[in-house]
Amino acid sequence: MATRVFSDEELEGLRSFPAIGRDELIRYFTLTPADEAFLRKFRRSQNVLGAAVQLSALPWLGFVPDDVPTAPPAAVGRLTRQLGLVAGDLAGYGAREQTRTDHLKEIADYLGWKQPKAIEHKELDEFLLARAMEHDSPSLLFRLGCEYLRSAKVIRPGVVTLLEKVASARTAAEQKTHARVAHLLTGERTRGLDNLLVVDPALRPTRLHWLATGPVQASPTSVGGEVEKLVFLRGLEAHSLDLSALPAERRRHLA
């Protein structure tokens, strides 16, 4: 499953409020006069404070966790001091999901953020594919996807949805890689590559393991062994392979 990239505990953390540092606290939980005027229209103290948390959390995280009252106490405290409220006003906010989502829609409009629709999903898929041609790590691709969405002011979709997009991008990158080098894979060359995975009685391990194992010390014997590998690779015409159609990071990954 796509979600197996992260443990259950990590998945829960990706859906929740993380710990907050001092710089983030000041940067994201400082309200402008315009922000306060916008928030006051929610009237009830509970809604004003709940909306304030959402207003601050969206630019900070790129999404707003469902359980708004679990926001870091330091963040809630900073907002209450600015709004003249008390932390207890946040209790129970979001119990009615529709209220929370309606508020988030208004907040997103105010901040210039948008929910991902067809065009945003397509652009995210294209971004992830481009990054997957350079990096194969699913956790890195997930993080890059989150950063891209924040920079585009698009609210992050659910964790599983984004992980599924990462998995699709990795599969597409493999297919695209194969398509770009397929013309190099002649019958003879393919057989030579397949034989790298066969245990060689003279070496004990496979040829691939032999090639990937470096010398353990500097000696004439070690130098001779490395020269032997070079001769073997030239026999496969590895030196004539033109992989320039692939990004440098993809070539490193394949290596």
Side-chain angles (χ1 to χ4, degrees):
M1 290 178 62
T3 54
R4 290 305 90 194
V5 172
F6 300 109
S7 67
D8 291 341
E9 182 178 352
E10 288 171 325
L11 284 173
E12 184 57 34
L14 291 169
R15 298 184 178 108
S16 309
F17 286 101
I20 189 167
R22 184 175 182 276
D23 290 345
E24 293 171 316
L25 187 65
I26 295 171
R27 179 178 178 183
Y28 295 108
F29 288 83
T30 299
L31 302 174
T32 67
D35 293 338
E36 186 169 348
F38 168 77
L39 292 168
R40 292 296 181 188
K41 74 175 189 174
F42 293 102
R43 299 190 179 183
R44 291 179 56 208
S45 297
Q46 182 188 61
N47 290 339
V48 170
L49 185 53
V53 172
Q54 294 208 71
L55 177 74
S56 303
L58 182 55
W60 174 35
L61 303 175
F63 75 105
V64 180
D66 291 342
D67 196 355
V68 174
T70 62
V76 176
R78 184 173 177 83
L79 292 174
T80 57
R81 288 190 293 274
Q82 294 172 83
L83 293 168
L85 303 173
V86 295
D89 290 333
L90 192 60
Y93 176 79
R96 183 172 176 273
E97 183 179 353
Q98 189 64 47
T99 299
R100 177 174 52 80
T101 55
D102 286 348
H103 288 176
L104 180 58
K105 184 178 184 306
E106 292 186 61
I107 289 163
D109 289 342
Y110 170 73
L111 293 176
W113 283 61
K114 52 194 171 185
Q115 290 284 356
K117 295 195 167 49
I119 184 64
E120 286 78 26
H121 280 290
K122 181 175 183 294
E123 290 172 348
L124 175 60
D125 290 339
E126 292 172 351
F127 171 83
L128 288 173
L129 174 57
R131 298 291 77 74
M133 288 297 293
E134 301 170 344
H135 311 285
D136 190 59
S137 167
S139 58
L140 174 60
L141 290 171
F142 180 91
R143 180 172 62 78
L144 292 174
C146 291
E147 292 175 357
Y148 166 79
L149 290 169
R150 282 183 61 194
S151 67
K153 289 192 171 184
V154 175
I155 299 175
R156 193 200 77 186
V159 175
V160 172
T161 297
L162 185 50
L163 284 172
E164 287 172 345
K165 285 185 173 295
V166 166
S168 296
R170 294 177 71 215
T171 299
E174 290 179 5
Q175 295 170 344
K176 194 170 183 179
T177 296
H178 185 271
R180 290 187 181 184
V181 301
H183 66 285
L184 300 173
L185 300 175
T186 62
E188 182 179 353
R189 182 168 285 149
T190 299
R191 286 190 292 275
L193 293 172
D194 286 343
N195 286 335
L196 293 177
L197 303 178
V198 178
V199 174
D200 189 316
L203 297 172
R204 305 265 180 141
T206 64
R207 282 279 178 180
L208 181 62
H209 184 273
W210 171 66
L211 289 168
T213 303
V216 295
Q217 60 183 354
S219 67
T221 301
S222 296
V223 172
E226 295 306 293
V227 171
E228 184 182 353
K229 292 177 184 177
L230 180 61
V231 171
F232 175 79
L233 289 171
R234 286 186 176 275
L236 292 177
E237 297 185 345
H239 62 292
S240 67
L241 291 174
D242 181 8
L243 299 178
S244 59
L246 299 177
E249 290 297 331
R250 170 59 55 162
R251 297 199 297 272
R252 275 193 276 273
H253 167 64
L254 293 174

